[in-house]
Amino acid sequence: MGCKCKLTAVLILIGAAYVYIKLKRAPLEVPVIEEKWWATGPPREEDPTVRPFKINVPKEVIADLKRRLDTALPLQPPLEGVNQNYGINGELLGNIVDHWKTKYDWNKQQEFLNQFPQFQTKIQGLNIHFIHAKPKTVPQGVEVLPLLLIHGWPGSVREFYEIIPILTTPQKGRNFVFEVIAPSLPGYGFSDAAVRPGLNQAQIAQLFNKLMKRLKFDRFYAQGGDWGSAVSHDMAILYPENVIALHRNFCFAYEITNWKAYVGMYFPSLFFSEKEAAKIYPLSDAFNFIMLESGYLHIQATKPDTVGVALRESPVGLAAYIIEKFITWTDPQWKDLPDGGLTQKYTYDKLLDNVMIYWVTRSITTSARLYAEANSKSYRSLPLDKLPINVPAGCIRFSNELLYSSEVLLREQHPNLIHLSDAEGGHFAALEVPEVLAQDIIEFVGKVRTLPPKTNSKEL
């Protein structure tokens, strides 16, 4: 009992000291992000041209892919009864590869991927690729709002092909509809990669803010999951005069709220409802899950180029590396299923579309480097994880998301959190449950548009 009392006293003192230091510390200032040239050679005058773009993969690239698939080594037989618990099962992967070789039609899928207008434009030396989809018809009295959609890893703009038609179609009872701008992250898919270190999520926020301005959108809505959540987070802090409001489907509390989670281990009722405490604690469960699912992160944050060698060489290896995430990140229970649960929410064609974007652009190594950049001293020295998001914010928490943040923690970092919802689904929400995510975005923006002018003085 005496030890427990001492521990309680120590925790109270730590909490009190933290609060005292936080109150006494000078307010942090929003950093200014240095503008850098990311292409080869010295900086040159920027070409502001926005050029139409179509995916047109050379036949030689597809022929080379077929050769590699046909000559791939036999897959390692899985251990008995492990399903997906050792990573993607060789039998499941074999079925996917067989579909790739015999049923997947790239010509048909390339036509599908070209259904939306796409463009490229150079920003700070890099060709940035983006989809720009507008409503086909706009009824009288309906406003068209710009919405920036940002994907993550190991995803691509392919995640948005089912949600874009919903967002660009006027909804009954709504006086607004979206035109969607969905860029490929630098180093992903059809966007150029940097030639020198430093292109972290804050620098990407700068690029994408410039992209929106180049498209004549000085004010816009932003939405993201995974890396898209991190980039849009930084955009809302760095450019609040441009970001009208922020919606995310991978919301998490940053460093400024950590102490509450630790103190809550012993006094959960101080901060959390009983329902939320049950999701947060024991922290060991969350820690064990993250350790189980984050091996890739440690590799990519430290040695992205090493793992990239193997993944650029083998399409089968690339498919295994990427598609495995669509199993456990959609539903961790799927790892106990022989088929990985994949066809419950996806099709092999959808999953292979995403893999193909990485393969035909040879972008797996450059995409992985973002983890190293986010873990670099140059990014960690920025106080962005310690600053609040002051623009109107909304979050949808999916039941199988990798991390869970309570309302208390979210509100501390989002003082203008006006929307919080919960839904069934996983990490790749735009691809898995596009209707659910789209309706949540629409509901959030509807709330933003009813805010008083002092809260959102330049509302569209």
Side-chain angles (χ1 to χ4, degrees), residues 143-451:
E143 294 182 68
V144 181
L145 309 179
L147 174 64
L148 177 67
L149 282 184
I150 312 175
H151 70 85
W153 188 94
S156 64
V157 291
R158 174 61 185 89
E159 295 178 71
F160 300 139
Y161 274 67
E162 283 71 31
I163 197 172
I164 286 175
I166 305 172
L167 294 170
T168 55
T169 299
Q171 302 288 309
K172 185 177 180 180
R174 300 289 183 181
N175 63 356
F176 62 89
V177 68
F178 299 106
E179 60 178 290
V180 171
I181 300 89
S184 295
L185 291 167
Y188 287 65
F190 304 99
S191 284
D192 288 350
V195 301
R196 54 185 58 87
L199 187 52
N200 53 51
Q201 57 264 47
Q203 293 284 354
I204 295 173
Q206 182 183 75
L207 293 178
F208 285 177
N209 197 57
K210 285 187 173 185
L211 170 64
M212 296 303 284
K213 286 187 174 182
R214 183 165 296 177
L215 297 177
K216 310 302 181 186
F217 299 124
D218 289 327
R219 299 274 290 165
F220 54 88
Y221 294 86
Q223 201 285 330
D226 195 84
W227 278 120
S229 176
V231 172
S232 58
H233 165 276
D234 287 4
M235 290 185 79
I237 292 174
L238 294 169
Y239 310 107
E241 70 279 7
N242 302 120
V243 177
I244 298 170
L246 172 66
H247 182 280
R248 297 187 292 167
N249 56 290
F250 185 38
C251 302
F252 43 90
Y254 285 85
E255 183 178 322
I256 62 174
T257 62
N258 284 350
W259 72 277
K260 287 187 176 181
Y262 293 125
V263 173
M265 291 171 61
Y266 300 93
F267 309 101
S269 60
L270 284 177
F271 309 115
F272 311 115
S273 68
E274 187 174 334
K275 181 179 179 181
E276 287 198 318
K279 287 182 173 290
I280 298 169
Y281 302 111
L283 287 179
S284 58
D285 287 353
F287 177 78
N288 290 336
F289 177 73
I290 291 300
M291 288 298 293
L292 180 66
E293 292 300 327
S294 63
Y296 80 97
L297 187 153
H298 298 286
I299 294 173
Q300 293 177 189
T302 55
K303 312 291 183 183
D305 285 24
T306 301
V307 69
V309 173
L311 297 176
R312 279 170 51 91
E313 188 72 19
S314 168
V316 176
L318 180 66
Y321 197 70
I322 288 176
I323 293 176
E324 180 234 307
K325 303 307 180 193
F326 283 83
I327 297 173
T328 52
W329 292 7
T330 301
D331 188 335
Q333 302 305 314
W334 283 4
K335 68 180 182 295
D336 298 320
L337 301 176
D339 65 355
L342 289 171
T343 54
Q344 293 184 34
K345 296 291 181 69
Y346 312 113
T347 66
Y348 285 172
D349 277 358
K350 288 181 182 180
L351 296 170
L352 288 170
D353 284 346
N354 184 59
V355 174
M356 284 291 289
I357 289 174
Y358 281 91
W359 180 259
V360 300
T361 60
R362 303 288 191 261
S363 60
I364 187 61
T365 304
T366 53
S367 73
R369 287 176 182 164
L370 182 51
Y371 290 81
E373 302 299 354
N375 195 48
S376 67
K377 288 183 180 178
S378 63
Y379 182 76
R380 288 187 285 112
S381 65
L382 300 174
L384 293 170
D385 61 347
K386 302 177 181 68
L387 290 167
I389 292 175
N390 292 315
V391 303
C395 175
I396 180 169
R397 298 179 295 191
F398 284 97
S399 56
N400 291 322
E401 187 53 272
L402 300 177
L403 295 171
Y404 177 85
S405 286
S406 74
E407 182 174 354
V408 167
L409 300 188
L410 288 173
R411 287 194 180 281
E412 182 164 334
Q413 191 152 44
H414 303 72
N416 202 4
L417 184 70
I418 65 168
H419 175 82
L420 183 62
S421 62
D422 295 279
E424 293 297 316
H427 189 68
F428 303 100
L431 188 64
E432 179 194 353
V433 284
E435 183 70 36
V436 175
L437 180 58
Q439 293 305 324
D440 201 75
I441 296 169
I442 292 166
E443 182 179 351
F444 166 67
V445 171
K447 291 179 180 179
V448 174
R449 288 166 59 82
T450 65
L451 294 175

